[in-house]
Amino acid sequence: MHLFQHLRRGHLWLCMGLGLGASALAQTVVEHLPGAEGLALKVWVFHPAQHSPDTQRPVVVALHGCGGMYATVGSRKGQLSARHQGMTNLLMAQGYSVVWPDSLTPRQETSLCEQSMASRQVRQSHRRSDVHTTLAWLGQQAWTDPQRVALLGWSHGGSAVLASSDSRQKLPQPSVTPDIALAFYPGCSDALRRTYQAAWPVHLLLAGADDWTPAAPCVALAQKAGMSFKLYPDSHHGFDNPEGQVKHLPRVPNGQNPGMGVHAGRNPVTGPQAWQDVLELLKKRWPDPVAH
């Protein structure tokens, strides 16, 4: 990559991550959808301001990781985290609406990251149900382009992408189904054991130095299931976070080395590359202009 291109991408990544740009012009709505078992699923909806309310446009359903959707400290506390807001802004700038189902707070949880797998009360079956509830609701919205809906998830949300796209799950299909799914550093071991089969195109964005959800099972899964993937070198879990730096998280019990914690944090080179790759993958899938 030329130096100018690298700096341009890094600047875009930083601006979007800090909440600048498209968010100032966004239309934001909070919905409560009737979910499974009486759950009122909280969904944040971000519309690009350049569209009229009923103009059909592509939609990205974004799925948070084990730490939830929101910033927990600082001036952004209670709002979308920097990574989530930054990606939302980036997608809205392309004319996409972005929908964030909150799978934790309606279930009285704020974070799963320091819970052992066995003790977690919010499981991938719940995340899959939330995706199906959201897709069914999107099918009722005049602004949804039903042919251009994507899933995009991070970590636990990346695993939810896999759980939701497994064609071997015999579940009622909503009227809208994704056209493509993208997963940042998901946990792939369970899907690999289940002989996972993708119901639609799935692309994995993997961190080469990930000791939380290691890349090797995902590479094996992608090769076995015929999915595409990209491995980003010298990158830890959460490498696309536009803020912070790599940290050791000693209280996370579910990593590659149990009892030793994990590492997570931004890579200022591969992070913006991955965000640009997301845009290019979506544009390749949906080549028609979408920003009006």
Side-chain angles (χ1 to χ4, degrees):
M1 184 190 304
H2 295 300
L3 178 61
F4 174 76
Q5 291 176 302
H6 170 64
L7 292 174
R8 185 172 179 269
R9 288 185 184 183
H11 176 71
L12 173 66
W13 189 50
L14 179 62
C15 287
M16 292 299 184
L18 292 175
L20 304 177
S23 62
L25 301 175
Q27 306 168 35
T28 307
V29 180
V30 178
E31 302 278 356
H32 292 85
L33 312 184
E37 300 176 352
L39 178 78
L41 178 65
K42 187 177 183 180
V43 173
W44 290 73
V45 184
F46 295 83
H47 293 303
Q50 66 262 41
H51 291 313
S52 61
D54 292 337
T55 299
Q56 282 196 344
R57 80 293 302 260
V59 182
V60 176
V61 178
L63 306 175
H64 61 75
C66 65
M69 291 169 49
Y70 311 108
T72 58
V73 297
S75 62
R76 296 191 57 80
K77 185 175 181 180
Q79 303 176 50
L80 290 188
S81 69
R83 176 175 56 199
H84 296 156
Q85 187 66 66
M87 180 59 79
T88 297
N89 293 349
L90 195 64
L91 293 169
M92 284 193 300
Q94 305 303 310
Y96 309 148
S97 286
V98 186
V99 179
W100 286 92
D102 180 354
S103 291
L104 295 192
T105 56
R107 296 183 171 94
Q108 312 305 311
E109 295 277 9
T110 56
S111 176
L112 310 176
C113 298
E114 296 181 2
Q115 300 176 9
S116 68
M117 292 294 189
S119 67
R120 288 181 175 179
Q121 299 301 304
V122 179
R123 302 184 179 276
Q124 286 302 333
S125 58
H126 298 108
R127 302 297 306 270
R128 184 171 58 240
S129 174
D130 293 349
V131 169
H132 279 248
T133 295
T134 303
L135 291 173
W137 177 78
L138 285 174
Q140 301 169 4
Q141 308 310 306
W143 44 266
T144 301
D145 182 340
Q147 305 303 315
R148 294 190 290 185
V149 174
L151 295 183
L152 171 62
W154 290 261
S155 192
H156 195 270
S159 299
V161 166
L162 297 179
S164 303
S165 61
D166 190 346
S167 64
R168 301 177 72 249
Q169 296 289 335
K170 304 302 182 184
L171 296 171
Q173 291 298 310
S175 58
V176 169
T177 56
D179 185 54
I180 186 173
L182 311 173
F184 277 92
Y185 34 83
C188 293
S189 296
D190 285 347
L192 190 59
R193 286 193 295 267
R194 289 198 309 269
T195 317
Y196 166 92
Q197 297 175 1
W200 44 74
V202 178
H203 180 83
L204 308 180
L205 301 101
L206 308 174
D210 199 329
D211 62 357
W212 193 341
T213 52
C218 293
V219 172
L221 177 65
Q223 293 172 338
K224 186 175 182 179
M227 297 184 292
S228 60
F229 70 92
K230 184 171 180 178
L231 188 64
Y232 296 86
D234 303 317
S235 300
H236 293 276
H237 198 88
F239 71 95
D240 63 310
N241 195 330
E243 293 186 344
Q245 58 189 358
V246 175
K247 295 182 179 180
H248 178 234
L249 306 176
R251 298 176 61 181
V252 173
N254 303 308
Q256 188 174 23
N257 304 300
M260 299 179 64
V262 300
H263 296 80
R266 70 188 286 261
N267 182 309
V269 175
T270 60
Q273 286 175 353
W275 280 26
Q276 185 65 32
D277 289 342
V278 167
L279 294 185
E280 291 176 358
L281 285 162
L282 292 176
K283 288 179 180 179
K284 182 178 180 180
R285 191 69 182 174
W286 305 328
D288 296 333
V290 296
H292 306 290

